[in-house]
Amino acid sequence: MSKKVEVKDKILSKNQKIADELRELFARKKILTVNFVSSPGSGKTSILEKILPDLSKKYKICVIEGDLETENDAERIRKAGIDAYQITTGGACHLEAFGIKKALSNFDIDNIDLLVIENVGNLVCPASFDLGEDFKIVVISTPEGEDKPAKYPSMIRVSDVIVINKIDLAEYMEFDVNKCLEYARKINPRLVEFKTSCKTGEGLKELAEFIDKKIIEKNADTGC
Amino acid sequence: MGETVFSLSQKGWGKLHEASIAQSLLDIVIETASENKAKFVKSVKIDIGRLAAIENDALMFAFDALKEGTIAENARLYINDVPIVGRCNVCSFDSEYESFDFCCKNCGSYDVILISGEELNIKEIEVEDE
């Protein structure tokens, strides 16, 4: 006999369950967790190399790097004097909460103020997988074209911060910064906006200050 | 120091996020089927929001590849596409969106919360139990 079973479950409930556990753990340990997402080559690692050394004078920082292959990004972060652990996904296009949970065993969790997750370069898949982070920072670089937010609305919607990187190249790339931000605001008006260049240093201080402020807020949080 | 943490399938489809989602879906289907002492699964109905960044064909393809050799091997997957609907916090009007400009169609405010369109949910599983 055939029977219909009603299921009221999220398809990614398993990932969500681990992400919820991680969020609870990060709240308890007062660890601000930031998930950096972008297309490949937008400059996530370069931004981290620039802003983390200064922040590390005040805070204990750990970085989890996600890539399909190679240890290169983690090595770059370590060269900047920051603890980093590389997850190589072996082809998978995003990080999942389980991978983060496993990676945490490489760090002294009682002694972290800021955990940065640099997701696999991809503006689609990482949008669906909660990693227990406090917020996502989406990085869009000027050579990618100003309509990136319109093309990848899901990622824009789930992010809290947008960084327009390689801003020094905007005029050569004929990248209209305001147009790009307009697309983004129509999808998510709550986005906090930064314009950065790792070449000229523009905007990096402001981004670092924002993260610093968030670390302080997290520490003031009662965790309840 | 690094390591590979993904082994979503032995069939090589683990590279799409749709495959990852299909595997999570299949896990829930198999679990539900065994809880209900099913002999096999006939169909699976899911809701996918238009903003969920899912390619239906890729999800279907991955589900069909992964279900082989399981209790759900003959299960048909029905995908219900859920439109993006936002409710305005200013005037309470509900707008349905075809494009990604989440502006209230009544008062023009951008203070809109999405009430649908982000679903990745299972609705119903039909099983044969004798």
Side-chain angles (χ1 to χ4, degrees):
Chain A
M1 213 178 67
S2 118
K3 151 167 121 174
K4 287 178 177 169
V5 186
E6 206 185 320
V7 188
K8 278 191 185 146
D9 211 351
K10 297 216 183 293
I11 295 174
L12 292 178
S13 54
K14 234 186 244 170
N15 184 77
Q16 194 58 54
K17 192 167 165 271
I18 301 171
D20 291 345
E21 281 169 25
L22 287 173
R23 187 165 284 114
E24 199 265 329
L25 174 74
F26 297 148
R28 206 155 17 93
K29 303 281 182 189
K30 297 188 190 297
I31 301 171
L32 181 79
T33 304
V34 183
N35 184 359
F36 270 79
V37 291
S38 79
S39 311
S42 67
K44 294 187 296 301
T45 315
S46 298
I47 291 174
L48 295 178
E49 283 173 318
K50 295 281 182 189
I51 65 172
L52 295 186
D54 263 356
L55 282 168
S56 75
K57 289 176 190 157
K58 281 172 78 179
Y59 303 110
K60 174 67 188 159
I61 303 174
C62 292
V63 178
I64 296 174
E65 285 286 341
D67 280 295
L68 273 66
E69 300 292 347
T70 83
E71 184 86 18
N72 297 355
D73 282 1
E75 274 165 16
R76 283 174 61 186
I77 297 295
R78 281 183 214 125
K79 269 191 194 140
I82 314 291
D83 265 1
Y85 178 78
Q86 180 81 46
I87 297 176
T88 49
T89 63
C93 51
H94 59 275
L95 294 176
E96 297 191 8
F98 177 70
I100 301 303
K101 189 178 170 181
K102 248 182 104 182
L104 283 181
S105 63
N106 295 281
F107 301 124
D108 173 13
I109 185 107
D110 290 315
N111 186 26
I112 306 177
D113 301 303
L114 172 65
L115 175 67
V116 175
I117 300 166
E118 188 186 329
N119 218 311
V120 179
N122 181 338
L123 275 178
V124 186
C125 317
S128 305
F129 293 86
D130 188 356
L131 303 179
E133 73 270 2
D134 289 277
F135 55 89
K136 289 184 182 71
I137 296 183
V138 59
V139 181
I140 288 172
S141 65
T142 55
E144 295 169 40
E146 65 211 8
D147 59 351
K148 262 286 148 79
K151 286 179 175 166
Y152 299 93
S154 308
M155 190 60 96
I156 298 298
R157 188 73 196 176
V158 298
S159 297
D160 285 310
V161 178
I162 185 168
V163 175
I164 311 287
N165 193 34
K166 306 184 190 177
I167 198 78
D168 53 305
L169 296 179
E171 82 174 278
Y172 309 105
M173 295 294 158
E174 295 180 359
F175 179 99
D176 186 331
V177 178
N178 289 330
K179 219 174 185 176
C180 177
L181 289 171
E182 250 167 58
Y183 281 126
R185 287 175 200 141
K186 284 178 177 175
I187 299 159
N188 184 356
R190 294 170 300 280
L191 284 168
V192 180
E193 300 161 2
F194 294 95
K195 298 166 199 168
T196 58
S197 163
C198 294
K199 196 109 188 161
T200 67
E202 182 183 339
L204 294 169
K205 198 171 138 250
E206 288 80 359
L207 179 60
E209 281 168 2
F210 174 82
I211 294 173
D212 191 336
K213 199 181 91 202
K214 291 289 173 188
I215 297 173
I216 294 168
E217 282 174 20
K218 185 85 182 189
N219 270 286
D221 211 328
T222 54
C224 296
Chain B
M1 197 172 170
E3 60 184 291
T4 300
V5 291
F6 290 91
S7 55
L8 295 173
S9 99
Q10 309 309 310
K11 295 170 186 170
W13 305 121
K15 298 180 183 185
L16 287 162
H17 81 301
E18 279 86 354
S20 190
I21 287 162
Q23 185 65 62
S24 301
L25 169 63
L26 193 62
D27 287 348
I28 298 173
V29 169
I30 293 170
E31 215 177 285
T32 309
S34 72
E35 275 167 18
N36 284 276
K37 300 185 172 51
K39 271 188 162 163
F40 61 91
V41 180
K42 285 175 81 172
S43 67
V44 177
K45 288 184 183 162
I46 61 174
D47 279 350
I48 301 291
R50 279 205 51 217
L51 201 56
I54 297 294
E55 177 61 51
N56 285 1
D57 289 343
L59 183 60
M60 205 72 101
F61 180 75
F63 184 79
D64 285 344
L66 294 167
K67 72 185 184 184
E68 273 176 51
T70 74
I71 193 168
E73 111 181 297
N74 294 312
R76 219 169 135 191
L77 180 62
Y78 295 95
I79 301 177
N80 174 37
D81 292 308
V82 183
I84 304 170
V85 178
R87 180 164 295 161
C88 179
N89 278 329
V90 178
C91 72
S92 302
F93 186 81
D94 289 351
S95 309
E96 187 173 327
Y97 301 106
E98 291 298 324
S99 66
F100 303 110
D101 181 352
F102 304 140
C103 164
C104 173
K105 292 181 179 177
N106 183 46
C107 75
S109 164
Y110 275 95
D111 188 4
V112 167
I113 37 162
L114 294 185
I115 54 172
S116 83
E118 296 172 296
E119 292 80 357
L120 257 179
N121 299 339
I122 309 187
K123 297 294 283 181
E124 188 187 270
I125 298 171
E126 193 181 357
V127 297
E128 196 68 43
D129 63 355
E130 73 180 50

